[in-house]
Amino acid sequence: MKNYMLMKKIQYFLMAAVVLLTAQCKDDNDETENIIPVTGISIQKTELRVSPGLKMFMRANIIPENATNQTIMWSSDNAVVEINDKTGEMLAKTKSNDVITITARTEDGGFTASCRLTVMEFPVTGIELLEEELLISPGNKIALHITVLSEMASNKNVIWTSDNPAVASVNAEGEVTGVNGPGIANIKVTTEEGGFTQSCVVKVTSDNLLRNGGFEDPDTNTAPCLNWENVSNAWFNNYPGYEDYTLSGFNNPGRVNDYADAFMFTGNGAFFGSNYANVLEGKYCVRIMVNNAGGLYQLIDVKAGKKYWFSIFVGFRLNSDNESFKSDETVKILSPDGMTTYHLEPVVFDESKVFMSNGNRPAYVVKVEGTFTPDTDMQVRFQFDQRHYPGPNSAPLCLFDNCEFREMPE
């Protein structure tokens, strides 16, 4: 009986051990089944030619792409090319006559793939200059943009020259400065290797013939617009095409500034700074009040046959639903008495550029520019103005700034 009980106990323990071992083996098999082994590796470039000093990352693909262990070890068989064994970042240090082998090896399985690398000097084959012609005013700077060919060229140094540095100069980085105009300078860029060249014609205008074109002098909000004359009531009453508009409430324009030199109108918050200040510099502009007529002009001496370019920034802001942006306002070039018209440049209204001012009213900013060529030597009157339109749809609040009138080079 004792022997029988002993045998039963032994049998029980043996069965328990078998169950435990079976469970353990099953767990081990599950872990093994979750591991996806590497079966190979491929390298993206098997042949490469690079120039000295080039840095780049080598790339390889483990097969299969969902393999569990994605670790790759990189190596170079020549010290001319250094490579980070973990990241594959490569540096070609100097030119070499030897073909260098870059190897990628998988940590799992030790599979390899390689790239044959040649470090060589690449010759310059040409040069491209983006700009062919530029218009610039004295004191302004513009950077020119080049591409040295080929992309792998080893020596991309260039030399910049101006054939008329008294008109326009250029520095070693290709930045052009307008010096004195009107005049023309040819800016040439030459590759140090190969002597390939390209040129840009730079036309420099005269200085601004309008004095105090930005209304910054004198620097005070209460001062008159120095060098500018107010358009009179008589002119509005007598100029052809203006006599149909009521002039009650005629208001001489006055300068206005803000607190941050950002070209925002303050009194009733006419413009967001980002909509007016982004195209202007300084802190003053001219205001013609809403539902009023007003304007400024300046006299300029011009020469027969010369081409003149002019520009002005104009801002409008509606104060009520009884006002509207006008499509028939113009920047004028007139005889000194203002009665003879030589040129009218329309203020073109673009509804897509209307924005909401910080007074939650529609506002609009436009750059008006044009050219004028007189038939004879004369004095002309450069003028901007706004009429008083009778309600409904009366005149909006109006701002003017950055007025330019320059002689163009021939």
Side-chain angles (χ1 to χ4, degrees), residues 67-333:
T68 302
N69 188 342
Q70 294 285 320
T71 302
I72 298 173
M73 297 166 289
W74 294 91
S75 62
S76 167
D77 70 350
N78 192 317
V80 167
V81 176
E82 294 179 348
I83 192 164
N84 187 303
D85 62 348
K86 295 181 177 60
T87 66
E89 183 181 21
M90 184 189 75
L91 169 63
K93 295 193 292 185
T94 62
K95 177 183 173 181
S96 174
N97 294 323
D98 298 325
V99 176
I100 299 156
T101 301
I102 302 297
T103 301
R105 180 184 298 273
T106 65
E107 186 178 66
D108 179 7
F111 298 96
T112 62
S114 61
C115 172
R116 291 166 55 85
L117 194 71
T118 304
V119 185
M120 57 182 292
E121 299 282 353
F122 285 83
V124 174
T125 59
I127 188 170
E128 294 177 350
L129 177 58
L130 178 62
E131 297 82 6
E132 296 180 358
E133 184 174 305
L134 289 177
L135 179 65
I136 189 172
S137 57
N140 283 353
K141 300 177 184 291
I142 298 180
L144 299 180
H145 303 86
I146 61 167
T147 301
V148 175
L149 305 173
S150 69
E151 184 179 347
M152 295 292 292
S154 303
N155 183 356
K156 293 192 175 184
N157 295 331
V158 296
I159 302 166
W160 292 93
T161 57
S162 169
D163 70 350
N164 197 350
V167 170
S169 62
V170 63
N171 65 16
E173 286 71 46
E175 184 182 63
V176 176
T177 300
V179 178
N180 189 35
I184 296 176
N186 291 291
I187 304 299
K188 185 168 71 172
V189 58
T190 305
T191 61
E192 192 173 78
E193 178 190 325
F196 297 97
T197 66
Q198 287 289 327
S199 296
C200 174
V201 177
V202 176
K203 297 182 177 181
V204 181
T205 70
S206 70
D207 289 319
N208 192 358
L209 300 179
L210 293 170
R211 293 161 294 169
N212 193 21
F215 309 103
E216 303 299 312
D217 186 20
D219 186 11
T220 170
N221 188 42
T222 59
C225 300
L226 188 66
N227 298 124
W228 293 89
E229 298 291 335
N230 290 321
V231 179
S232 68
N233 293 50
W235 182 89
F236 278 94
N237 286 317
N238 292 292
Y239 184 75
Y242 275 40
E243 61 272 10
D244 294 334
Y245 296 90
T246 179
L247 293 174
S248 60
F250 176 82
N251 171 258
N252 288 337
R255 296 200 314 178
V256 57
N257 72 340
D258 74 341
Y259 306 120
D261 294 2
F263 281 96
M264 289 189 297
F265 178 67
T266 53
N268 59 353
F271 292 97
F272 277 128
S274 60
N275 291 92
Y276 208 49
N278 58 355
V279 294
L280 303 172
E281 296 177 354
K283 63 180 179 181
Y284 294 110
C285 57
V286 171
R287 173 187 64 189
I288 301 174
M289 288 299 294
V290 63
N291 296 332
N292 283 271
L296 292 176
Y297 70 87
Q298 194 168 137
L299 299 179
I300 307 169
D301 292 319
V302 295
K303 302 172 186 176
K306 299 293 185 180
K307 185 177 181 180
Y308 295 87
W309 169 85
F310 58 89
S311 171
I312 181 173
F313 282 90
V314 186
F316 301 102
R317 191 256 195 178
L318 302 185
N319 195 52
S320 72
D321 295 336
N322 291 328
E323 298 156 13
S324 64
F325 301 118
K326 304 302 179 184
S327 59
D328 55 353
E329 297 288 12
T330 59
V331 176
K332 300 172 180 62
I333 298 177

Side-chain angles (χ1 to χ4, degrees), residues 328-342:
D328 55 353
E329 297 288 12
T330 59
V331 176
K332 300 172 180 62
I333 298 177
L334 307 171
S335 59
D337 63 4
M339 291 297 104
T340 303
T341 301
Y342 299 130

